[in-house]
Amino acid sequence: MRPICLVGIGKIAVDQHVPAIAASPDWTLAATVSRAGTVDGVPAYTDFAQMLAERPDIDTVSLCLPPVPRYDYAAAAIAAGRHVMLEKPPGATLAEVQALAAMAQDAGVTLYTTWHSRMAKGVAPAKAWLADKIITAAHITWKEDVRRWHPGQDWVFAPGGMGVFDPGSNALSIMTEILPAPVHLRQADLSFPANRDTPIAAELAWTGNVTGSFDWRQTGPQSWDITVETTDGTLALHDGGAQLVINGADVESGPDREYPALYDRMAALVKTAASEVDITPMIHIADALTLGKRHVVDAFDF
Ligand code: NAP
């Protein structure tokens, strides 16, 4: 088993990364780096440079920090010859992810920009079914409760936090994976809380009659749905891509293996020091923030 270091022991590290590594046949959690968080029984560092210097046995790091601080950690890891796995969205800006990709190539190490929702059960069969279809329309409904999924995480509303596009990037990662031809944004209406720097809701419209409604104020049942209309009928992905329905018939659904699948993929990549870097979901976020009309809505506090 290959040793790996997990950096940024917060919500997603605890919810998903730690259990996925523990169950993996490829990886053993050899260290953590976090200012406050730890994992029982695992050597814990608070300083990343110290871990890099003291643990040459660990050649891979998985960065679970929010996007803004993540670049400095990734750059330091690559400079120290480590393979790097990035949580989504892979950076705060497009250019910094491209810079990391170039650094990784020069250093001969793996850089993997993970998009966990692409590993949801229904996504690969949805892509396969749509590959030869004529798409007439598509709609994304991505509405969830920020207090439930990002409790007290002020960074999501700080510059670079991307607001509702933090979870929205999951929908965009699926959209860019399953549509047989690329689309580009034509219009964006963004709702900014009066006291915040990033949007809490967004209405987007792309070419190809593709639209999206994103909202972080949804209490009660959560909605993570994508519907694609084709000349051969309707494809629907529900529950963040876990359930696939085609023309009303259940085609695929099953237990969530998104994070185990990411670690399987990383294990395959590091064997040949290959990289997998995809910024296309982030391009749509950047375009929305470039093109978007700003609407000011009620102030938001956790
Ligand atoms: P989080 O709990 O707020 O942050 C993770 C950890 O990063 C924190 O516990 C903190 O650990 C460290 N950190 C935060 N700010 C830092 C800074 N400025 N410098 C250094 N370390 C810092 O966030 P999260 O929910 O786990 O999300 C992290 C990433 O995972 C995001 O990109 C998010 O999109 C993605 N993600 C989140 C979810 C979710 O449901 N929350 C789901 C999928 C993916 P220390 O204070 O101990 O250093």
Side-chain angles (χ1 to χ4, degrees):
M1 295 228 280
R2 202 168 191 135
I4 191 167
C5 174
L6 205 50
V7 184
I9 306 302
K11 186 170 190 319
I12 199 61
V14 170
D15 288 358
Q16 296 287 351
H17 291 258
V18 171
I21 293 168
S24 170
D26 300 304
W27 299 103
T28 182
L29 185 56
T32 61
V33 179
S34 212
R35 297 162 308 181
T38 58
V39 175
D40 277 354
V42 178
Y45 293 79
T46 53
D47 184 74
F48 191 51
Q50 186 187 355
M51 189 285 296
L52 291 173
E54 291 183 3
R55 296 299 301 271
D57 59 307
I58 300 176
D59 70 357
T60 306
V61 301
S62 178
L63 302 182
C64 308
L65 310 151
V68 168
R70 207 183 298 131
Y71 170 84
D72 289 341
Y73 284 77
I78 293 168
R82 302 323 205 270
H83 305 292
V84 175
M85 184 168 165
L86 300 173
E87 249 297 352
K88 63 91 221 180
T93 70
L94 297 166
E96 72 180 31
V97 183
Q98 290 175 322
L100 291 174
M103 287 179 213
Q105 188 171 4
D106 288 349
V109 297
T110 293
L111 181 70
Y112 179 24
T113 60
T114 68
W115 295 103
H116 67 84
S117 291
R118 284 185 177 170
M119 298 301 194
K121 245 338 223 197
V123 172
K127 178 179 179 160
W129 190 79
L130 288 171
D132 61 355
K133 302 294 183 295
I134 296 167
I135 314 294
T136 55
H139 186 68
I140 297 168
T141 306
W142 222 256
K143 298 186 176 182
E144 61 175 61
D145 182 355
V146 63
R147 290 188 174 92
R148 181 164 155 199
W149 301 103
H150 293 274
Q153 292 178 10
D154 280 313
W155 63 262
V156 298
F157 288 115
M162 300 182 210
V164 75
F165 294 122
D166 178 86
S169 67
N170 298 333
L172 299 173
S173 72
I174 296 175
M175 178 188 89
T176 49
E177 179 72 4
I178 65 173
L179 290 184
V183 294
H184 62 267
L185 200 70
R186 300 301 298 270
Q187 190 178 333
D189 285 275
L190 309 177
S191 298
F192 286 76
N195 59 340
R196 299 290 188 170
D197 292 316
T198 63
I200 197 165
E203 292 292 325
L204 305 186
W206 288 268
T207 52
N209 205 14
V210 178
T211 51
S213 302
F214 303 80
D215 203 321
W216 235 350
R217 297 164 297 188
Q218 173 128 321
T219 54
Q222 310 286 280
S223 310
W224 298 296
D225 304 309
I226 299 177
T227 304
V228 185
E229 306 290 346
T230 78
T231 51
D232 290 288
T234 303
L235 175 148
L237 281 167
H238 301 297
D239 197 16
Q243 189 195 3
L244 173 62
V245 177
I246 297 177
N247 290 326
D250 242 325
V251 173
E252 186 74 66
S253 64
D256 166 22
R257 273 204 91 256
E258 293 177 21
Y259 279 81
L262 295 180
Y263 279 96
D264 291 350
R265 180 76 189 128
M266 185 65 178
L269 289 170
V270 298
K271 276 185 188 148
T272 58
S275 284
E276 188 173 301
V277 176
D278 183 3
I279 57 172
T280 50
M282 265 184 82
I283 289 174
H284 296 286
I285 299 172
D287 282 0
L289 294 171
T290 306
L291 196 61
K293 181 169 174 51
R294 182 189 177 98
H295 305 272
V296 178
V297 297
D298 288 349
F300 178 88
D301 291 297
F302 283 104

